[in-house]
Amino acid sequence: HRDLHSFPTRRSSDLFNKGNLTPVLTPIDLGVQLYKAEDKANKEDLTLYQQQIGSLIYLSTKTRPDITFAINRCTRFMSNPDINHFKALDRIWKYLNKYPTLGINYNCNDNILKLIGYTDADWGGDIVGRKSTSGYLYLLNNNIISWNSILQKTVALSSCEAEYMAFKEAIKEAIYLNNLTTYFNKFYNNNNNNIRIPTLLTDSESALKLANNPEFHKRSKHIDITYHFIREAILDKKVDLIYVNTKKQLADGFTKALDNIKHKNFNNSLNLKEI
Protein backbone atom coordinates (compact mmCIF):
# COMPACT_ATOMS: atom_id res chain seq x y z
CA HIS A 1 0.00 0.00 0.00
CA ARG A 2 1.45 3.37 -0.99
CA ASP A 3 0.12 6.92 -0.96
CA LEU A 4 1.61 9.58 -3.23
CA HIS A 5 1.32 13.07 -1.78
CA SER A 6 0.68 16.21 -3.79
CA PHE A 7 2.90 18.59 -1.85
CA PRO A 8 4.13 20.20 -5.15
CA THR A 9 0.59 21.59 -5.40
CA ARG A 10 1.07 23.79 -2.34
CA ARG A 11 4.61 24.83 -3.26
CA SER A 12 3.59 25.83 -6.79
CA SER A 13 0.48 27.62 -5.56
CA ASP A 14 2.58 29.71 -3.16
CA LEU A 15 5.22 30.38 -5.82
CA PHE A 16 2.68 31.95 -8.21
CA ASN A 17 0.52 33.54 -5.48
CA LYS A 18 -2.54 31.45 -6.33
CA GLY A 19 -3.42 30.32 -2.82
CA ASN A 20 -6.11 32.99 -2.39
CA LEU A 21 -8.13 32.00 -5.48
CA THR A 22 -11.64 30.71 -4.79
CA PRO A 23 -11.73 26.87 -4.91
CA VAL A 24 -13.83 25.14 -7.60
CA LEU A 25 -14.87 21.54 -8.22
CA THR A 26 -13.47 21.01 -11.74
CA PRO A 27 -10.28 22.15 -13.53
CA ILE A 28 -12.12 23.39 -16.64
CA ASP A 29 -15.02 25.83 -16.89
CA LEU A 30 -17.61 24.08 -19.09
CA GLY A 31 -18.60 25.96 -22.23
CA VAL A 32 -15.51 28.20 -22.30
CA GLN A 33 -13.52 27.82 -25.52
CA LEU A 34 -9.93 28.95 -26.01
CA TYR A 35 -8.82 30.69 -29.21
CA LYS A 36 -5.54 32.07 -30.52
CA ALA A 37 -4.60 35.48 -29.18
CA GLU A 38 -5.11 38.42 -31.52
CA ASP A 39 -2.31 40.52 -30.01
CA LYS A 40 1.30 39.63 -29.30
CA ALA A 41 2.00 38.80 -25.65
CA ASN A 42 4.73 40.75 -23.88
CA LYS A 43 7.83 38.98 -22.65
CA GLU A 44 6.82 39.06 -18.97
CA ASP A 45 3.42 37.47 -19.60
CA LEU A 46 4.95 34.86 -21.88
CA THR A 47 7.52 33.86 -19.26
CA LEU A 48 4.95 33.75 -16.47
CA TYR A 49 2.55 31.62 -18.50
CA GLN A 50 5.25 29.14 -19.50
CA GLN A 51 6.54 28.88 -15.93
CA GLN A 52 3.07 28.04 -14.64
CA ILE A 53 2.56 25.51 -17.42
CA GLY A 54 5.87 23.84 -16.59
CA SER A 55 4.97 23.55 -12.93
CA LEU A 56 1.52 22.14 -13.64
CA ILE A 57 2.80 19.67 -16.25
CA TYR A 58 5.20 18.24 -13.68
CA LEU A 59 2.32 17.79 -11.26
CA SER A 60 -0.02 16.26 -13.86
CA THR A 61 2.54 13.66 -14.98
CA LYS A 62 3.47 12.56 -11.46
CA THR A 63 0.47 12.38 -9.15
CA ARG A 64 -2.45 14.35 -10.60
CA PRO A 65 -3.95 12.75 -13.73
CA ASP A 66 -7.17 14.63 -12.97
CA ILE A 67 -5.70 17.88 -14.40
CA THR A 68 -3.98 16.29 -17.42
CA PHE A 69 -6.53 17.32 -20.06
CA ALA A 70 -6.86 20.83 -18.64
CA ILE A 71 -3.09 21.29 -18.85
CA ASN A 72 -2.96 19.77 -22.35
CA ARG A 73 -5.48 22.35 -23.52
CA CYS A 74 -3.54 25.27 -22.04
CA THR A 75 -0.19 24.15 -23.48
CA ARG A 76 -1.54 24.74 -27.00
CA PHE A 77 -1.19 28.50 -26.42
CA MET A 78 2.26 28.64 -24.83
CA SER A 79 3.77 30.63 -27.69
CA ASN A 80 1.36 33.56 -27.35
CA PRO A 81 -1.06 33.55 -24.39
CA ASP A 82 -3.68 36.21 -23.67
CA ILE A 83 -5.94 37.00 -20.72
CA ASN A 84 -8.36 34.15 -21.53
CA HIS A 85 -5.54 31.63 -21.43
CA PHE A 86 -4.42 32.97 -18.05
CA LYS A 87 -8.01 32.62 -16.81
CA ALA A 88 -7.96 28.97 -17.93
CA LEU A 89 -4.76 28.48 -15.93
CA ASP A 90 -6.32 30.17 -12.91
CA ARG A 91 -9.22 27.74 -13.17
CA ILE A 92 -6.75 24.87 -12.69
CA TRP A 93 -5.19 26.61 -9.69
CA LYS A 94 -8.66 27.12 -8.19
CA TYR A 95 -9.33 23.40 -8.58
CA LEU A 96 -6.00 22.56 -6.93
CA ASN A 97 -6.92 24.89 -4.06
CA LYS A 98 -10.06 22.79 -3.61
CA TYR A 99 -8.11 19.51 -3.62
CA PRO A 100 -4.50 20.29 -2.64
CA THR A 101 -3.83 16.88 -1.07
CA LEU A 102 -5.49 14.64 -3.65
CA GLY A 103 -3.19 11.78 -4.64
CA ILE A 104 -3.05 8.33 -6.21
CA ASN A 105 -3.74 5.45 -3.87
CA TYR A 106 -1.97 2.18 -4.75
CA ASN A 107 -2.99 -1.27 -3.54
CA CYS A 108 -0.61 -3.97 -4.77
CA ASN A 109 -1.44 -7.34 -3.27
CA ASP A 110 -1.34 -9.69 -6.28
CA ASN A 111 1.91 -11.33 -7.38
CA ILE A 112 0.64 -11.74 -10.96
CA LEU A 113 0.73 -8.43 -12.81
CA LYS A 114 -2.27 -7.75 -15.06
CA LEU A 115 -2.25 -4.85 -17.49
CA ILE A 116 -5.44 -3.26 -18.80
CA GLY A 117 -5.87 0.02 -20.67
CA TYR A 118 -8.58 2.39 -21.87
CA THR A 119 -8.40 4.57 -24.98
CA ASP A 120 -10.72 7.37 -26.05
CA ALA A 121 -10.89 10.34 -28.42
CA ASP A 122 -12.91 13.53 -28.67
CA TRP A 123 -13.62 14.24 -32.34
CA GLY A 124 -12.74 17.76 -33.47
CA GLY A 125 -12.73 19.14 -29.96
CA ASP A 126 -9.99 21.67 -30.70
CA ILE A 127 -11.79 24.76 -32.00
CA VAL A 128 -8.67 26.34 -33.50
CA GLY A 129 -7.52 23.54 -35.85
CA ARG A 130 -10.48 21.13 -35.56
CA LYS A 131 -8.10 18.39 -34.47
CA SER A 132 -9.13 15.64 -32.07
CA THR A 133 -7.74 14.79 -28.66
CA SER A 134 -6.48 11.30 -27.84
CA GLY A 135 -6.47 10.00 -24.30
CA TYR A 136 -5.46 6.76 -22.64
CA LEU A 137 -4.71 5.27 -19.26
CA TYR A 138 -3.28 1.96 -18.08
CA LEU A 139 -4.04 0.10 -14.89
CA LEU A 140 -1.72 -2.47 -13.34
CA ASN A 141 -3.81 -4.68 -11.06
CA ASN A 142 -6.40 -1.88 -10.98
CA ASN A 143 -3.76 0.77 -10.11
CA ILE A 144 -3.19 3.59 -12.59
CA ILE A 145 0.45 3.67 -13.71
CA SER A 146 0.35 5.49 -17.05
CA TRP A 147 -1.87 8.13 -18.63
CA ASN A 148 -1.79 10.75 -21.36
CA SER A 149 -3.84 13.37 -23.18
CA ILE A 150 -2.52 14.59 -26.52
CA LEU A 151 -3.75 16.58 -29.52
CA GLN A 152 -3.71 14.47 -32.68
CA LYS A 153 -1.34 15.60 -35.42
CA THR A 154 -3.84 15.39 -38.28
CA VAL A 155 -7.53 16.22 -38.68
CA ALA A 156 -9.85 13.22 -38.46
CA LEU A 157 -12.81 13.20 -40.85
CA SER A 158 -15.08 11.26 -38.50
CA SER A 159 -15.34 10.12 -34.90
CA CYS A 160 -14.41 6.62 -36.10
CA GLU A 161 -11.14 7.93 -37.55
CA ALA A 162 -10.40 9.95 -34.40
CA GLU A 163 -10.85 6.86 -32.24
CA TYR A 164 -8.81 4.73 -34.64
CA MET A 165 -5.97 7.24 -34.66
CA ALA A 166 -6.05 7.33 -30.85
CA PHE A 167 -5.28 3.61 -30.84
CA LYS A 168 -1.74 4.29 -32.09
CA GLU A 169 -0.42 6.08 -29.00
CA ALA A 170 -2.30 3.75 -26.67
CA ILE A 171 -0.94 0.59 -28.32
CA LYS A 172 2.63 1.95 -28.36
CA GLU A 173 2.34 2.43 -24.60
CA ALA A 174 0.78 -1.02 -24.19
CA ILE A 175 3.74 -2.68 -25.92
CA TYR A 176 6.23 -0.81 -23.75
CA LEU A 177 4.41 -1.55 -20.49
CA ASN A 178 3.84 -5.18 -21.42
CA ASN A 179 7.58 -5.68 -21.90
CA LEU A 180 8.06 -4.58 -18.29
CA THR A 181 5.23 -6.61 -16.79
CA THR A 182 6.27 -9.73 -18.73
CA TYR A 183 9.78 -9.46 -17.31
CA PHE A 184 8.57 -9.02 -13.73
CA ASN A 185 6.01 -11.82 -14.04
CA LYS A 186 8.75 -14.19 -15.17
CA PHE A 187 11.10 -12.96 -12.47
CA TYR A 188 8.67 -13.47 -9.61
CA ASN A 189 6.82 -16.49 -11.02
CA ASN A 190 9.42 -18.79 -12.54
CA ASN A 191 6.95 -21.67 -12.88
CA ASN A 192 4.28 -19.58 -14.59
CA ASN A 193 4.92 -19.41 -18.33
CA ASN A 194 1.52 -18.09 -19.32
CA ILE A 195 1.83 -15.14 -21.70
CA ARG A 196 -0.50 -12.31 -20.72
CA ILE A 197 -1.62 -10.05 -23.55
CA PRO A 198 -2.50 -6.52 -22.38
CA THR A 199 -6.15 -5.61 -22.87
CA LEU A 200 -7.08 -2.27 -24.42
CA LEU A 201 -10.70 -1.13 -24.12
CA THR A 202 -12.49 1.24 -26.49
CA ASP A 203 -16.09 2.45 -26.65
CA SER A 204 -16.01 2.84 -30.46
CA GLU A 205 -17.34 -0.24 -32.23
CA SER A 206 -16.71 1.28 -35.68
CA ALA A 207 -13.04 2.00 -34.90
CA LEU A 208 -12.70 -1.48 -33.46
CA LYS A 209 -13.97 -3.00 -36.71
CA LEU A 210 -11.63 -0.77 -38.68
CA ALA A 211 -8.65 -1.96 -36.65
CA ASN A 212 -9.53 -5.65 -36.87
CA ASN A 213 -10.67 -5.87 -40.48
CA PRO A 214 -8.21 -5.02 -43.31
CA GLU A 215 -11.13 -5.19 -45.80
CA PHE A 216 -12.13 -1.66 -44.71
CA HIS A 217 -9.44 -0.34 -47.06
CA LYS A 218 -11.63 2.27 -48.76
CA ARG A 219 -12.50 3.81 -45.43
CA SER A 220 -8.92 4.10 -44.20
CA LYS A 221 -6.62 4.38 -47.24
CA HIS A 222 -6.28 8.15 -46.76
CA ILE A 223 -5.12 7.74 -43.14
CA ASP A 224 -1.35 8.00 -42.62
CA ILE A 225 0.35 4.62 -42.90
CA THR A 226 1.89 5.02 -39.43
CA TYR A 227 -1.51 4.34 -37.90
CA HIS A 228 -1.84 0.96 -39.57
CA PHE A 229 0.72 -0.65 -37.30
CA ILE A 230 -2.39 -1.01 -35.10
CA ARG A 231 -3.56 -3.94 -37.23
CA GLU A 232 -0.13 -5.54 -37.14
CA ALA A 233 0.00 -5.25 -33.34
CA ILE A 234 -3.39 -6.98 -33.09
CA LEU A 235 -2.39 -9.76 -35.52
CA ASP A 236 0.87 -10.31 -33.64
CA LYS A 237 -1.11 -10.55 -30.38
CA LYS A 238 0.75 -7.67 -28.79
CA VAL A 239 -2.54 -6.23 -27.58
CA ASP A 240 -6.12 -7.42 -27.26
CA LEU A 241 -8.43 -4.62 -28.40
CA ILE A 242 -12.02 -5.06 -27.20
CA TYR A 243 -15.20 -3.02 -26.77
CA VAL A 244 -16.37 -1.43 -23.54
CA ASN A 245 -19.62 0.43 -22.92
CA THR A 246 -19.27 4.23 -22.99
CA LYS A 247 -20.50 4.43 -19.39
CA LYS A 248 -17.49 2.35 -18.33
CA GLN A 249 -14.95 4.30 -20.41
CA LEU A 250 -12.40 5.45 -17.82
CA ALA A 251 -10.35 7.57 -20.27
CA ASP A 252 -13.19 10.03 -20.87
CA GLY A 253 -11.65 12.69 -18.64
CA PHE A 254 -8.45 12.75 -20.72
CA THR A 255 -10.24 13.92 -23.88
CA LYS A 256 -12.86 16.44 -22.78
CA ALA A 257 -14.08 18.69 -19.98
CA LEU A 258 -16.46 17.05 -17.49
CA ASP A 259 -19.18 18.43 -15.25
CA ASN A 260 -18.97 18.21 -11.45
CA ILE A 261 -20.53 14.76 -11.10
CA LYS A 262 -18.70 13.17 -14.01
CA HIS A 263 -15.39 14.63 -12.88
CA LYS A 264 -15.89 13.25 -9.38
CA ASN A 265 -16.65 9.82 -10.83
CA PHE A 266 -13.57 10.16 -13.04
CA ASN A 267 -11.38 10.80 -10.00
CA ASN A 268 -12.88 7.85 -8.17
CA SER A 269 -12.20 5.55 -11.13
CA LEU A 270 -8.52 6.61 -11.01
CA ASN A 271 -8.42 5.81 -7.28
CA LEU A 272 -7.58 9.40 -6.40
CA LYS A 273 -8.08 10.07 -2.71
CA GLU A 274 -7.49 12.80 -0.18
CA ILE A 275 -4.24 12.01 1.62
Side-chain angles (χ1 to χ4, degrees):
H1 175 84
R2 183 186 180 193
D3 293 326
L4 294 184
H5 294 259
S6 293
F7 290 137
T9 305
R10 292 195 178 108
R11 290 201 297 267
S12 298
S13 180
D14 293 339
L15 176 63
F16 297 108
N17 297 317
K18 302 298 182 179
N20 61 338
L21 295 178
T22 304
V24 294
L25 296 174
T26 62
I28 297 179
D29 193 3
L30 287 179
V32 176
Q33 299 290 348
L34 297 181
Y35 301 89
K36 288 185 177 180
E38 295 182 359
D39 300 322
K40 182 67 176 179
N42 61 53
K43 185 177 180 180
E44 291 75 18
D45 285 346
L46 183 62
T47 299
L48 179 60
Y49 189 85
Q50 292 177 349
Q51 286 177 341
Q52 291 186 58
I53 287 289
S55 182
L56 291 170
I57 285 178
Y58 178 82
L59 186 60
S60 70
T61 57
K62 300 300 180 182
T63 66
R64 298 298 298 264
D66 52 324
I67 64 172
T68 299
F69 173 70
I71 298 301
N72 171 272
R73 192 175 72 142
C74 288
T75 58
R76 302 170 191 175
F77 306 94
M78 286 181 63
S79 62
N80 190 39
D82 64 14
I83 187 172
N84 294 312
H85 305 137
F86 275 101
K87 287 181 179 179
L89 274 185
D90 278 351
R91 175 75 185 197
I92 301 174
W93 289 117
K94 290 178 180 179
Y95 172 73
L96 293 175
N97 284 344
K98 177 66 176 179
Y99 302 109
T101 61
L102 203 63
I104 303 173
N105 186 68
Y106 287 102
N107 294 287
C108 305
N109 300 316
D110 196 342
N111 290 330
I112 303 298
L113 302 179
K114 305 171 185 176
L115 188 65
I116 184 171
Y118 293 80
T119 175
D120 194 22
D122 181 37
W123 179 39
D126 178 53
I127 298 299
V128 176
R130 303 310 302 181
K131 293 179 180 179
S132 305
T133 300
S134 299
Y136 69 74
L137 69 91
Y138 279 94
L139 305 173
L140 189 64
N141 293 12
N142 294 320
N143 298 286
I144 185 169
I145 61 168
S146 177
W147 61 88
N148 198 13
S149 175
I150 185 172
L151 191 68
Q152 294 181 359
K153 295 182 179 180
T154 57
V155 176
L157 301 181
S158 67
S159 59
C160 172
E161 287 184 18
E163 296 275 4
Y164 179 72
M165 287 156 59
F167 292 166
K168 186 186 79 167
E169 296 299 327
I171 290 178
K172 284 167 58 179
E173 185 71 1
I175 294 172
Y176 162 69
L177 293 175
N178 191 49
N179 288 336
L180 294 177
T181 57
T182 298
Y183 168 78
F184 286 119
N185 276 330
K186 289 182 178 179
F187 184 82
Y188 287 109
N189 302 277
N190 294 324
N191 297 324
N192 189 339
N193 295 319
N194 293 331
I195 299 177
R196 295 181 176 273
I197 302 175
T199 300
L200 182 59
L201 304 176
T202 175
D203 59 1
S204 175
E205 292 184 282
S206 56
L208 185 60
K209 292 178 180 178
L210 189 60
N212 280 290
N213 193 343
E215 293 181 4
F216 281 89
H217 175 65
K218 290 183 179 180
R219 292 178 56 183
S220 62
K221 62 183 180 181
H222 62 284
I223 300 177
D224 194 297
I225 193 171
T226 59
Y227 291 100
H228 294 310
F229 103 102
I230 296 167
R231 293 169 180 166
E232 183 176 333
I234 295 172
L235 290 174
D236 291 344
K237 298 188 181 302
K238 293 180 179 179
V239 65
D240 187 14
L241 191 61
I242 63 176
Y243 174 78
V244 66
N245 188 282
T246 300
K247 294 181 180 179
K248 298 180 179 180
Q249 173 57 272
L250 302 189
D252 201 38
F254 293 111
T255 63
K256 60 181 72 70
L258 305 176
D259 60 31
N260 294 348
I261 296 177
K262 289 183 178 179
H263 188 79
K264 183 178 181 179
N265 292 335
F266 174 64
N267 286 353
N268 289 337
S269 69
L270 303 182
N271 210 16
L272 286 170
K273 297 183 178 180
E274 293 282 353
I275 305 303

